[in-house]
């Protein structure tokens, strides 16, 4: 039961996180917005402004990671011990300790997000991306050793998961040098969707088969269909990403002009037309006005 939860619940979190990322990326592409500093409605009142600036994404990672850690520790009778009391001593529960390390990495990522966005005087994107890349490198190492002793269906399931994590690690490392690139964010979102949906599928394949009968490690057909199911997941997740982008485009065509008009009314100070600047110059003192008009004419030349 604990291992089933350890696959399905993190998979659900990663899948819905990927859907959220897909909405953010679609909005950024359509509205030509920044991915790291997306525009949001203005909040002018104190308490509402502080609540609006809270990193809900980082807080959710902390909560989910902490709950998974608590469940992993409590799911083992007698507690999660590192070594036994026999001679010579042996390490115990290797896979459970690896699960615990993975969940701790998720909690750490959430803590860094909250510190960067809510504690530091200025948001440090390099710190957020750095801890994310470091965590996925460690996750990749853990998964490579996680399959030791596995064979057949279980080995194939985890091998495909390792492939996704490896590609995601490369994309996250590339974002260290290009953190606001839409193409990389699209690939990252797509890989998060695949990783989440495949973790859910892995939980049912390995521990809760829908047919009620376990998969056979010595059956070539079962191993082939694991790869076939993975390809179906890739197609379905790509369709989800395309559907979110299509819906966002449709929403923009219907309501985009009115949203841009409201944005221009809320932030008139962004306009820097020459006529508006000249009207502002009319309100200053005559001597200052002449000096500034002279500077304006020189800059225009």
């Amino acid at each position: 039961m604990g291992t089933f939860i350890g696959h399905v619940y993190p998979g659900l979190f990663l899948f819905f996180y990927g859907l959220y990322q897909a909405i953010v990326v679609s909005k950024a592409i359509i509205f030509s917005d920044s991915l790291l500093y997306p525009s949001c409605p203005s909040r002018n009142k104190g308490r509402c402004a502080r609540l609006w600036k809270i990193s809900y994404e980082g807080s959710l990672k902390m909560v989910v990671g902490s709950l998974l850690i608590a469940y992993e520790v409590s799911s083992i009778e007698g507690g999660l011990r590192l070594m036994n009391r026999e001679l010579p001593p042996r390490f115990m529960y290797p896979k459970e300790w690896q699960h615990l390390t993975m969940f701790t990495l998720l909690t750490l990522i959430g803590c860094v997000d909250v510190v960067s966005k809510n504690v530091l005087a200025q948001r440090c994107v390099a710190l957020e991306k750095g801890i994310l890349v470091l965590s996925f490198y460690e996750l990749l190492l853990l998964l490579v050793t996680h399959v030791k002793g596995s064979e057949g269906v279980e080995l194939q399931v985890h091998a495909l998961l390792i492939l996704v994590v490896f590609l995601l690690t490369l994309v996250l490392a590339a974002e260290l040098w290009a953190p606001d690139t839409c193409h990389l964010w699209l690939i990252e979102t797509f890989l998060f969707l695949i990783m989440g949906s495949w973790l859910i599928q892995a939980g049912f394949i390995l521990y809760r088969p829908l047919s009620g009968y376990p998969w056979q490690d010595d059956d070539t057909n079962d191993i082939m269909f694991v790869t076939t199911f993975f390809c179906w997941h890739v197609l379905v997740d790509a369709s989800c990403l395309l559907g979110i982008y299509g819906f966002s485009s449709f929403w923009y065509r219907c309501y985009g002009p009115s949203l841009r008009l409201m944005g221009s009314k809320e932030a008139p100070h962004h306009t820097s037309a020459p006529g508006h600047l000249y009207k502002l110059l009319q309100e200053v003192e005559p001597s200052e006005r002449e000096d500034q008009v002279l500077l304006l004419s020189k800059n225009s030349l």
Side-chain angles (χ1 to χ4, degrees), residues 96-141:
E96 286 76 8
W97 276 106
Q98 288 192 334
H99 290 161
L100 186 65
T101 305
M102 296 175 190
F103 303 150
T104 304
L105 291 174
L106 177 61
T107 308
L108 179 62
I109 293 172
C111 293
V112 172
D113 283 349
V114 172
V115 170
S116 175
K117 296 176 183 177
N118 299 121
V119 178
L120 299 180
Q122 185 177 3
R123 180 183 176 185
C124 184
V125 178
L127 178 62
E128 299 174 24
K129 293 295 181 181
I131 193 63
L132 193 60
V133 173
L134 178 62
S135 299
F136 269 86
Y137 269 112
E138 293 190 11
L139 177 61
L140 183 61
L141 293 175

Side-chain angles (χ1 to χ4, degrees), residues 11-298:
L12 286 172
F13 171 76
L14 289 172
F15 183 76
F16 284 110
Y17 176 74
L19 292 178
Y20 166 74
Q21 287 286 87
I23 297 173
V24 173
V25 174
S26 299
K27 174 182 175 295
I29 294 175
I30 295 171
F31 287 92
S32 299
D33 202 355
S34 172
L35 290 165
L36 298 177
Y37 303 97
S39 59
C40 58
S42 59
R43 297 290 187 271
N44 296 323
K45 296 185 179 180
R47 180 175 298 179
C48 293
R50 288 192 296 270
L51 290 176
W52 184 259
K53 293 179 181 179
I54 291 177
S55 176
Y56 295 106
E57 180 181 332
S59 302
L60 183 60
K61 293 175 184 177
M62 292 173 56
V63 172
V64 172
S66 301
L67 291 176
L68 289 172
I69 290 173
Y71 184 85
E72 189 70 30
V73 173
S74 62
S75 61
I76 299 178
E77 296 182 2
L80 188 62
R81 292 181 296 172
L82 182 62
M83 303 184 74
N84 58 15
R85 298 179 180 178
E86 300 176 359
L87 294 177
R90 299 290 182 183
F91 289 106
M92 301 179 64
Y93 309 112
K95 291 191 174 182
E96 286 76 8
W97 276 106
Q98 288 192 334
H99 290 161
L100 186 65
T101 305
M102 296 175 190
F103 303 150
T104 304
L105 291 174
L106 177 61
T107 308
L108 179 62
I109 293 172
C111 293
V112 172
D113 283 349
V114 172
V115 170
S116 175
K117 296 176 183 177
N118 299 121
V119 178
L120 299 180
Q122 185 177 3
R123 180 183 176 185
C124 184
V125 178
L127 178 62
E128 299 174 24
K129 293 295 181 181
I131 193 63
L132 193 60
V133 173
L134 178 62
S135 299
F136 269 86
Y137 269 112
E138 293 190 11
L139 177 61
L140 183 61
L141 293 175
L142 290 172
L143 285 176
V144 169
T145 58
H146 199 70
V147 297
K148 297 295 183 181
S150 302
E151 58 181 3
V153 173
E154 183 178 0
L155 180 61
Q156 185 70 7
V157 167
H158 284 93
L160 295 171
L161 179 62
I162 290 173
L163 174 63
V164 177
V165 174
F166 173 72
L167 295 175
L168 189 54
T169 303
L170 293 180
V171 173
L172 292 173
E175 287 183 0
L176 286 175
W177 287 270
D180 207 12
T181 305
C182 291
H183 298 87
L184 292 177
W185 275 68
L186 276 174
I187 300 174
E188 175 192 340
T189 301
F190 181 51
L191 292 174
F192 267 122
L193 287 173
I194 297 175
M195 184 178 175
S197 64
W198 187 243
L199 272 174
I200 299 172
Q201 182 71 57
F204 283 97
I205 289 176
L206 300 177
Y207 307 105
R208 296 287 182 84
L210 297 180
S211 64
Y213 296 93
W215 291 55
Q216 301 300 318
D217 292 332
D218 56 351
D219 191 345
T220 307
N221 292 333
D222 285 3
I223 298 176
M224 292 176 64
F225 265 101
V226 168
T227 307
T228 304
F229 288 162
F230 179 80
C231 294
W232 291 355
H233 275 269
V234 173
L235 294 176
V236 171
D237 293 332
S239 301
C240 289
L241 188 61
L242 184 61
I244 291 174
Y245 181 78
F247 179 78
S248 301
S249 300
F250 174 76
W251 184 272
Y252 171 73
R253 289 181 180 180
C254 295
Y255 301 100
S258 60
L259 291 176
R260 287 189 176 275
L261 183 60
M262 291 175 59
S264 62
K265 289 181 180 180
E266 290 180 0
H269 57 277
H270 290 289
T271 59
S272 58
H276 180 68
L277 180 60
Y278 184 76
K279 290 180 181 180
L280 291 177
L281 290 176
Q282 298 291 333
E283 300 176 2
V284 301
E285 295 295 330
S287 59
E288 296 179 0
R289 181 176 61 192
E290 292 175 0
D291 294 339
Q292 295 189 21
V293 169
L294 181 59
L295 289 175
L296 180 63
S297 63
K298 289 182 179 180

